[in-house]
């Protein structure tokens, strides 16, 4: 995982967050994740769209939180639209542009998906 990459973070509590992630350690030296500007993902209806909500607002002025690895159930790659919504809401830059190989893989995947849907 590259330093500071944006990921979906599924917590063991079932809460789904999107945040820029860095690997770090807690005060005891145990491995942990620093979540930079985490936002909570919520879905009000099964068929409705996901929406982003502040995770710490009203609780603390801090915009970052360190989570023990035990609190994190899974780290996932966010879909492009979630990534764009997150970077817009947090005024962060999008990740660096893809390499030519990544663009080729993505184009091939989009082509494969379009063929499968016809």
């Amino acid at each position: 995982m590259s330093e500071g990459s944006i990921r979906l973070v599924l917590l063991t509590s079932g809460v789904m967050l999107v945040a820029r992630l860095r690997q770090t350690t807690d005060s005891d030296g145990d491995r942990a994740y620093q979540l930079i500007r985490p936002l909570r993902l919520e879905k009000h209806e099964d068929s409705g769209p996901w929406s982003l909500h502040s995770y710490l607002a009203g609780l603390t002025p801090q915009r970052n939180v360190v989570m023990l690895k035990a609190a994190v159930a899974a780290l996932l790659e966010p879909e492009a639209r979630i990534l764009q919504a997150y970077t817009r809401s947090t005024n962060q830059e999008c990740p660096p542009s893809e390499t030519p190989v990544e663009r080729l893989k993505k184009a091939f995947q989009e082509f494969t998906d379009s063929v499968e849907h016809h």
Side-chain angles (χ1 to χ4, degrees), residues 49-113:
W50 287 93
S51 56
L52 295 172
H53 301 276
S54 180
Y55 180 59
L56 300 172
L59 300 173
T60 178
Q62 287 180 246
R63 304 254 338 235
N64 305 328
V65 63
V66 173
M67 295 221 165
L68 299 175
K69 283 191 96 149
V72 176
L75 297 175
L76 307 163
E77 190 77 33
E79 283 194 9
R81 67 179 188 272
I82 292 174
L83 186 62
Q84 288 169 346
Y86 174 78
T87 55
R88 265 196 319 273
S89 344
T90 60
N91 295 321
Q92 294 190 62
E93 68 286 350
C94 267
S97 59
E98 300 167 327
T99 65
V101 170
E102 290 169 328
R103 283 197 300 273
L104 188 59
K105 283 181 183 176
K106 189 174 184 177
F108 180 75
Q109 185 61 50
E110 289 170 358
F111 170 76
T112 305
D113 290 347

Side-chain angles (χ1 to χ4, degrees), residues 19-56:
R20 188 172 293 273
L21 221 63
R22 289 199 181 112
Q23 296 215 12
T24 187
T25 55
D26 66 9
S27 55
D28 295 328
D30 292 328
R31 291 179 58 181
Y33 294 110
Q34 180 183 23
L35 278 57
I36 300 165
R37 297 187 193 120
L39 293 177
R40 192 176 71 249
L41 275 163
E42 282 187 2
K43 200 173 204 182
H44 293 291
E45 304 162 10
D46 286 341
S47 61
W50 287 93
S51 56
L52 295 172
H53 301 276
S54 180
Y55 180 59
L56 300 172

